[in-house]
Amino acid sequence: MRMSHLYAPTLRETPAEAEVVSHQLMLRAGMLRKAAGGVYTYLPLAWRVLKKIEQIVREEMDAKGGQELLMPIVQPAEMWLETGRWHVYGDEMFRLKDRHDRNFCLGPTHEEMITTLVRSDVRSYRQLPLLLYQIQNKYRDEIRPRFGLMRGREFIMKDLYSFDRDEAGLSESYSKMYDAYSRVFSRCGLTFRAVEADAGAIGGSGTHEFMVIADSGEAAIVYCTNCDYAANVEKAELKPLPAASETPQELAVVDTPAMKSIADLTAFLGVTADKTIKAIAYRTEKETVLALVRGDHEVNEIKLKNSLNCLALELAGDKELAAIGSVAGFIGPVGLKNVTVVADASVMNLSNAVCGANQTDKHYIHVNPGRDFTPAIVTDLRLITENDPCPHCDAAIKTARGIEVGQVFKLHTKYSTALKATYLDENGKEQPMVMGCYGIGVSRTMAAAIEQHNDEHGIIWPVAIAPYHAVVVPISTKDQAQVALAEQVYAALQAAQVETVLDDRNERPGVKFKDADLIGYPLKITVGPKAVNEDTIEVKIRRTGEVLYYPQEGFAAKIKELLATL
Amino acid sequence: MRMSHLYAPTLRETPAEAEVVSHQLMLRAGMLRKAAGGVYTYLPLAWRVLKKIEQIVREEMDAKGGQELLMPIVQPAEMWLETGRWHVYGDEMFRLKDRHDRNFCLGPTHEEMITTLVRSDVRSYRQLPLLLYQIQNKYRDEIRPRFGLMRGREFIMKDLYSFDRDEAGLSESYSKMYDAYSRVFSRCGLTFRAVEADAGAIGGSGTHEFMVIADSGEAAIVYCTNCDYAANVEKAELKPLPAASETPQELAVVDTPAMKSIADLTAFLGVTADKTIKAIAYRTEKETVLALVRGDHEVNEIKLKNSLNCLALELAGDKELAAIGSVAGFIGPVGLKNVTVVADASVMNLSNAVCGANQTDKHYIHVNPGRDFTPAIVTDLRLITENDPCPHCDAAIKTARGIEVGQVFKLHTKYSTALKATYLDENGKEQPMVMGCYGIGVSRTMAAAIEQHNDEHGIIWPVAIAPYHAVVVPISTKDQAQVALAEQVYAALQAAQVETVLDDRNERPGVKFKDADLIGYPLKITVGPKAVNEDTIEVKIRRTGEVLYYPQEGFAAKIKELLATL
């Protein structure tokens, strides 16, 4: 491809709209343009990357017995009403009516569609297992689309659905997909971790998220420095921490003027945070709730939601606080009414602790859980910290930020039961199919790759998903010898199937070098006076900055070898 | 691929919903399933065919300098309001609102989107020409979706848009695409014709349709038996036919009791149809119109619409007829009021003709155009017939039915002017880009291929787009020697990159043979006793029924050779 012809309109300035580096660099490198909030056009360079990611995904799905098909984007409402998700999805679902006033949505996912399909064509255990997948646009009407491809409203997904006879079959399919996903992200050149995750609204249990490690990631993860354990912090399971057992003293109220934060309070009272109780009031769709963790811990809202089995969870306001007999900044569990108290198990081990006294500028001291208050629910309610031991092996853990690019899910019989997708087993008995679903954010993977692989000059593509492998830059397009040599090198590389761009534009070398670094070709091949006069062509490796020199003879073969090592 | 594993649920019966053979066969061969009216899931066999067609399209677009990108399906209304097409599209456009109540549509086409994109990134003549394309779903809310993939509401299109500096550039781009399209459909193994066509509502002038010849085609085309001329019948240009010049006689009214049709009338009066005037009344959005052609001709409604420059055209009812002073079955142009008369030029050459007298059971005789009535418009208004000579060379013509699978269009500056997509020319002067658009119905091409290539047993795939090249059928899966040999043959074919299905199902040979013919693999390879005992493997060519025998040694190479000849 000649740069003079390539539709990659690079920008000198970073557009103000772009908050994260992948978005900034894709706009600047002429890869991406916005059509509406969260809706983008992929320009040719981006489309090449996406096709490479898709192909890697496809090969790995096929290797596990996956069969590709293509389902509709426009889906009739009926099947969503059958599972009840027509209402559950709320405003996040793009809905439309056809000319006959029938209801449709733009598929945010395809469980309903694939299950409806399979139920009508699969009758016998002999037809199972089935692994069916597609790669296509998905739709989610995010309230605040942002971060470019990270949180779009129209995005490219691979979604595979497994249908098995039983739980053992599902475990096998799940494990195949877990392996396939690991291979996909490895082949894409990404550093990632598969972490235990929360099943969330999609339903089912047993799920891992595949996280590309990047400081800009929206997700916090923990992983063990010793064993294989890794989890989304929201999911990480924790045992209750012990605490020194003291002789219970009498409950007392103390003045704590304007001491609303744990830091202020502990400094004022001369106690450590792990001797205090942090109480946070929430309202759910059903009730007001008080969550308790130790002062040095944070409430894990996912765990709180799961323990309450609620859908909505928001911080309570002054009105709700007044209704339960409390006041902001001085909330505590002692003596409250009309509230469901949920306590982290570590709280229950405390003796003579400190907590809010539900009056302005007052705290209780010598609070003893069980004696002074009794929670409705005691559970694992807190977020893991770097101070916690590994839940599996007790070794030290670390935290990191991650971008979720894939998720594997055990759905069990949630959808097959709702949609009556059954088969006849060996004994002629009707059984629900046992399902799993497995998603990869294809467009998000491209963005995540950039988040993980960039520097101040631009993108640094992993070779496997680079839009092109190399760029050939003649320093002067006025020097006939340079131009001729650049053309020869370009032709030789193309013949050797090295995907190459020839920057034949009549621009200053500085402009071409800057664009080369911005677009992030793995190799930059410079054809200048030295190449012409000394038969030594300069090759710069984008990632390391290393510079190598090769003669023209056998050049393309050398480049192929070099690419294979990157 | 093993048939026991392949998700291709074949059906014995033809589903009642399917009216055309491609729809019937795709349902029966387990390729297609309906999700909603005009909305389908492509099962794995169909998806393989579609990917092959897409790849052929891609290669030919790239060979002409096309660059692939991907635009959004969900498009904001603003750009459609700028060109005025938001309202023009009417009920055919799927519309939706996002959660913020902003208007969007599902793209029926992408002129607005691509022009908006290019106008913001292209500034200079040096960036032109540009040929940009995508392959993706398009949406059209057809009032009556039918014929399976022939007239769907969600379908796969390739759309390419060309941007040139001037008309000469557009002609070059147009001609490149014309060539590319010819290559695409040839490579797909289809018999087709490129025909001159009407530009229709999309705008612009200069257009060809690519028609796959099939009796079931919705379009009627004509082509010359001598020269290259071919056209949609709606478009075919016609010169006025001469008529014998007679001495004008006096206009007279005659009784023609219940003679409402031309056939009845000519028999009753003893004249030939080419001496009568057929008059048809229409209403447009603006007025009532009377179209006149000779009694042996048919009105070409496309030409009528173009001559009136109207959008809507419907047959007039009794009320409209009464308002202009006429009555159904006896309409004629003499003495009418409040009606725009449009006459075919051949009508004007008639002398002493017959036409309706605007009274029940009455006709005029001795009608002389010009003397007895004067049309507002005289033009080429009729449909071509097999009796007409070629408009280019006067040789005999033939008619055929065709399925439109592609169209190339000169848009000129229609969209660039509306959307202000300009560039600076060599003199720094602002110029509108000159555009073309070029579509291929990818999913429709698959259906058209089946319409053209089938027999009573099923599909007969052209090799280039067959889902698999061959099926290997062991006659008895209980005979270990047959199974072992079938496996060897299957392995050898796969190693030789012959795309092969092994029908390893424990089914009767009749069932497997029927499915093989239905799915339409180009080659069926039978492994039975003869193959095992005599080292001679039977190969049947699906298209011709020809049977060949090869030994196991070198079998795969022979099959590759054979496929290359098909």
Side-chain angles (χ1 to χ4, degrees), chain A residues 487-513:
Chain A
E487 291 279 356
Q488 282 169 32
V489 167
Y490 173 56
L493 289 170
Q494 285 197 300
Q497 269 144 26
V498 177
E499 298 170 20
T500 310
V501 168
L502 174 66
D503 195 343
D504 59 340
R505 293 176 300 169
N506 182 19
E507 294 277 6
R508 284 177 294 111
V511 169
K512 299 200 231 182
F513 289 157

Side-chain angles (χ1 to χ4, degrees), chain B residues 146-362:
Chain B
R146 55 188 170 152
F147 304 148
L149 300 186
M150 290 299 202
R151 192 167 287 277
R153 298 200 288 174
E154 177 180 79
F155 49 95
I156 304 173
M157 286 270 295
K158 184 284 304 178
D159 43 329
L160 184 143
Y161 304 89
S162 65
F163 295 85
D164 278 282
R165 302 177 192 181
D166 50 30
E167 283 289 328
L170 170 58
S171 288
E172 205 173 307
S173 294
Y174 188 89
S175 144
K176 278 183 186 171
M177 282 301 112
Y178 187 99
D179 290 350
Y181 276 40
S182 302
R183 286 186 52 85
V184 164
F185 298 117
S186 295
R187 285 183 60 188
C188 286
L190 301 175
T191 303
F192 69 96
R193 281 192 178 260
V195 304
E196 294 178 6
D198 186 76
I202 200 169
S205 75
T207 173
H208 284 84
E209 289 168 350
F210 286 76
M211 296 282 188
V212 168
I213 305 303
D215 291 339
S216 58
E218 284 193 271
I221 67 172
V222 290
Y223 58 93
C224 180
T225 55
N226 177 50
C227 76
D228 276 345
Y229 180 77
N232 195 310
V233 290
E234 295 167 342
K235 170 70 178 177
E237 290 157 21
L238 292 165
K239 295 171 213 153
L241 296 177
S245 181
E246 299 173 9
T247 308
Q249 299 184 44
E250 199 174 335
L251 186 68
V253 174
V254 294
D255 281 328
T256 49
M259 299 296 150
K260 291 191 177 186
S261 75
I262 295 285
D264 290 346
L265 180 71
T266 52
F268 183 77
L269 293 180
V271 297
T272 52
D274 61 0
K275 294 275 289 175
T276 68
I277 299 172
K278 186 187 287 180
I280 302 181
Y282 295 89
R283 62 163 176 264
T284 73
E285 71 273 23
K286 296 179 284 197
E287 60 193 338
T288 304
V289 169
L290 192 69
L292 306 180
V293 293
R294 265 182 14 190
D296 57 336
H297 291 156
E298 299 295 334
V299 173
N300 181 329
E301 295 186 351
I302 298 287
K303 289 180 182 174
L304 179 58
K305 274 174 99 165
N306 288 346
S307 74
L308 294 163
N309 200 18
C310 68
L311 294 169
L313 189 73
E314 285 177 41
L315 285 177
D318 290 341
K319 221 176 91 185
E320 281 104 355
L321 285 178
I324 63 172
S326 190
V327 60
F330 302 90
I331 312 174
V334 181
L336 289 194
K337 58 190 179 196
N338 299 327
V339 64
T340 301
V341 178
V342 187
D344 181 60
S346 300
V347 167
M348 303 309 286
N349 291 342
L350 296 178
S351 303
N352 300 327
V354 175
C355 73
N358 301 312
Q359 302 169 55
T360 302
D361 296 345
K362 304 280 184 194

Side-chain angles (χ1 to χ4, degrees), chain A residues 5 7 33 39 41-42 44 47 51 65 67-70 72-74 98-99 121 139 141 143 153-154, chain B residues 5 7 33 39 41-42 44 47 51 65 67-70 72-74 98-99 121 139 141 143 153-154:
Chain A
H5 180 65
Y7 191 57
R33 290 293 181 264
V39 179
T41 290
Y42 307 105
W47 186 235
K51 278 194 289 186
Q67 296 184 64
E68 190 172 1
L69 44 64
L70 189 68
I73 286 174
V74 167
D98 74 359
R99 65 194 300 154
D121 278 320
Y139 293 85
D141 195 357
I143 191 159
R153 299 199 289 175
E154 177 180 80
Chain B
H5 180 66
Y7 191 58
R33 290 293 181 264
V39 179
T41 291
Y42 307 104
W47 186 235
K51 278 194 290 186
Q67 297 184 64
E68 191 174 0
L69 44 65
L70 189 68
I73 286 174
V74 167
D98 73 0
R99 67 194 299 155
D121 277 321
Y139 293 86
D141 195 358
I143 192 160
R153 298 200 288 174
E154 177 180 79

Side-chain angles (χ1 to χ4, degrees), chain A residues 317-528:
Chain A
D318 289 341
K319 221 176 90 185
E320 282 104 355
L321 285 178
I324 62 171
S326 189
V327 59
F330 301 90
I331 313 175
V334 181
L336 288 195
K337 57 188 181 194
N338 300 326
V339 64
T340 301
V341 178
V342 186
D344 181 60
S346 299
V347 167
M348 302 309 287
N349 291 343
L350 296 178
S351 304
N352 300 328
V354 174
C355 74
N358 301 312
Q359 301 170 55
T360 301
D361 296 345
K362 305 278 185 197
H363 275 83
Y364 283 118
I365 58 173
H366 305 155
V367 179
N368 285 282
R371 182 192 74 180
D372 301 323
F373 68 92
T374 306
I377 302 172
V378 175
T379 185
D380 168 17
L381 195 63
R382 68 185 178 92
L383 277 174
I384 198 166
T385 72
E386 285 217 336
N387 298 326
D388 283 303
C390 170
H392 284 196
C393 77
D394 286 332
I397 57 163
K398 295 210 164 184
T399 60
R401 306 295 300 178
I403 300 165
E404 187 198 331
V405 287
Q407 189 159 15
V408 291
F409 246 102
K410 288 188 180 177
L411 296 169
H412 306 287
T413 58
K414 180 178 163 86
Y415 293 96
S416 50
T417 302
L419 294 163
K420 301 184 184 59
T422 60
Y423 70 96
L424 296 179
D425 69 12
E426 291 91 329
N427 306 314
K429 209 181 143 211
E430 204 166 357
Q431 302 283 2
M433 298 178 203
V434 183
M435 292 173 56
C437 73
Y438 315 87
I440 289 179
V442 172
S443 43
R444 191 188 270 191
T445 296
M446 172 168 69
I450 297 174
E451 291 289 337
Q452 193 174 71
H453 298 283
N454 70 79
D455 64 13
E456 69 274 27
H457 305 298
I459 305 168
I460 306 172
W461 287 111
V463 174
I465 61 172
Y468 289 91
H469 299 135
V471 61
V472 174
V473 185
I475 288 187
S476 165
T477 48
K478 299 207 173 73
D479 182 322
Q480 288 309 310
Q482 281 183 32
V483 169
L485 180 55
E487 291 279 356
Q488 282 169 32
V489 167
Y490 173 56
L493 289 170
Q494 285 197 300
Q497 269 144 26
V498 177
E499 298 170 20
T500 310
V501 168
L502 174 66
D503 195 343
D504 59 340
R505 293 176 300 169
N506 182 19
E507 294 277 6
R508 284 177 294 111
V511 169
K512 299 200 231 182
F513 289 157
K514 267 194 166 22
D515 276 349
D517 284 349
L518 176 61
I519 291 170
Y521 311 98
L523 298 178
K524 181 171 71 191
I525 297 163
T526 306
V527 177

Side-chain angles (χ1 to χ4, degrees), chain A residues 1 4-7 9 11 33 35-36 39-44 47 51 58 65 67-74 76 91-92 94-100 102 104 106 113 117-118 121-122 126 130 132 136-137 139 141-143 153-154 156, chain B residues 1 4-7 9 11 33 35-36 39-44 47 51 58 65 67-74 76 91-92 94-100 102 104 106 113 117-118 121-122 126 130 132 136-137 139 141-143 153-154 156:
Chain A
M1 174 60 71
S4 60
H5 180 65
L6 178 67
Y7 191 57
L11 307 175
R33 290 293 181 264
V39 179
Y40 294 92
T41 290
Y42 307 105
L43 300 191
W47 186 235
K51 278 194 289 186
R58 193 169 273 139
Q67 296 184 64
E68 190 172 1
L69 44 64
L70 189 68
M71 289 181 273
I73 286 174
V74 167
D91 285 345
E92 270 204 6
F94 277 110
R95 292 158 206 262
L96 70 161
K97 285 173 186 286
D98 74 359
R99 65 194 300 154
H100 306 297
R102 290 193 205 99
F104 290 84
L106 302 187
M113 182 65 79
L117 179 79
V118 168
D121 278 320
V122 171
R126 278 188 298 263
L130 267 179
L132 301 173
Q136 68 160 209
N137 278 351
Y139 293 85
D141 195 357
E142 295 279 353
I143 191 159
R153 299 199 289 175
E154 177 180 80
I156 304 172
Chain B
M1 173 61 71
S4 60
H5 180 66
L6 179 68
Y7 191 58
L11 308 174
R33 290 293 181 264
V39 179
Y40 294 91
T41 291
Y42 307 104
L43 300 191
W47 186 235
K51 278 194 290 186
R58 194 169 273 140
Q67 297 184 64
E68 191 174 0
L69 44 65
L70 189 68
M71 289 181 273
I73 286 174
V74 167
D91 285 346
E92 271 205 4
F94 276 111
R95 294 158 207 262
L96 68 161
K97 286 174 186 284
D98 73 0
R99 67 194 299 155
H100 305 297
R102 289 191 206 100
F104 290 84
L106 303 186
M113 182 64 79
L117 179 79
V118 167
D121 277 321
V122 171
R126 277 187 298 263
L130 267 179
L132 302 173
Q136 68 161 208
N137 278 351
Y139 293 86
D141 195 358
E142 294 280 353
I143 192 160
R153 298 200 288 174
E154 177 180 79
I156 304 173

